[in-house]
Amino acid sequence: MNKDFFTCSNCPMTRTMATIGSKWKPIIIYALGERTLRFGQILVRIEIISKKVLTDQLKELEEDGIINRIAYKEIPPRVEYHLTEKGLELLPILNLMTLWNAKYSEQE
Amino acid sequence: MNKDFFTCSNCPMTRTMATIGSKWKPIIIYALGERTLRFGQILVRIEIISKKVLTDQLKELEEDGIINRIAYKEIPPRVEYHLTEKGLELLPILNLMTLWNAKYSEQE
DNA sequence: GATACTGGTAACAATAAAGTAACCACTAAT
DNA sequence: ATTAGTGGTTACTTTATTGTTACCAGTATC
């Protein structure tokens, strides 16, 4: 009985998925990249995401320290988002994943 | 207007998420690792996953060429699963993700 | 003959995630 | 006075994902 026995309560993968394992989060992070984008710009880039979902996901990503939100006190409002250091470190990993996927997507 | 304009229909991240972006898939892949495991063994390792969900996810992973399923014609039945080359290549990437997550999980 | 074993399946229930549509605040310009 | 512009929120509906329970096949053992 080896000690790497898999238990979900503190399985690293389970915990990681709890942070970025959702339909939209990796997409948002990827869309943001190294840019600073306004709410509306993200909305346009991801095209088919809804306002509400984007709001929700951005909020969660901010809570998890993956993105930074800066609201300027202007009218009409301007809110900018960009990845934190933590978020930026995720970028190359997500990139590897898309490369992996692309590599095996040639048969289509 | 630069050409990396983000369109979801063929956004690499969106497509990658379609393959492995579910609550359980990364966990199953991670649990499998380089081992060959029987259905029941995976079930025990992941503890809280249900039979049905595991069945479903394994089926999809097999369809996507990420795992191999070998059914021995024995009674009681014996079915073994292991990662394909494609699946194995995903392992280090998932590993990076758990490392990333662990790095920023110290505050808890 | 009853029971255990394994890897499922079927029918269904519950939950979580995502989507829709209307609305709001506040200012500037028409 | 009305409309546009931005970044939301609210209430609600729909859809997707997960989970539950009971059951099955077919052989071996008690």
Side-chain angles (χ1 to χ4, degrees), chain A residues 75-94:
Chain A
I75 296 290
R78 178 160 64 104
V79 183
E80 293 184 343
Y81 294 92
H82 65 266
L83 293 179
T84 60
E85 182 58 30
K86 178 177 176 182
L88 285 170
E89 285 181 29
L90 201 50
L91 269 185
I93 302 176
L94 293 183

Side-chain angles (χ1 to χ4, degrees), chain A residues 32-43:
Chain A
L32 213 44
E34 302 186 347
R35 287 171 283 258
T36 292
L37 295 177
R38 298 178 59 168
F39 183 83
Q41 293 178 303
I42 304 176
L43 207 55

Side-chain angles (χ1 to χ4, degrees), chain B residues 16-72:
Chain B
T16 303
M17 284 300 99
T19 309
I20 50 161
S22 87
K23 178 178 174 184
W24 291 112
K25 281 177 189 166
I27 295 172
I28 293 170
I29 295 168
Y30 193 75
L32 214 43
E34 303 186 345
R35 287 172 283 259
T36 293
L37 295 177
R38 298 178 59 168
F39 182 84
Q41 292 178 304
I42 304 176
L43 208 54
V44 169
R45 276 183 174 264
I46 312 191
E47 274 185 339
I48 57 168
I49 198 174
S50 74
K51 245 182 185 181
K52 183 207 157 217
V53 172
L54 182 55
T55 307
D56 293 349
Q57 301 293 302
L58 285 172
K59 207 171 285 175
E60 288 182 20
L61 285 170
E62 198 198 353
E63 280 166 9
D64 286 331
I66 291 170
I67 62 172
N68 248 322
R69 176 184 188 275
I70 304 167
Y72 296 90

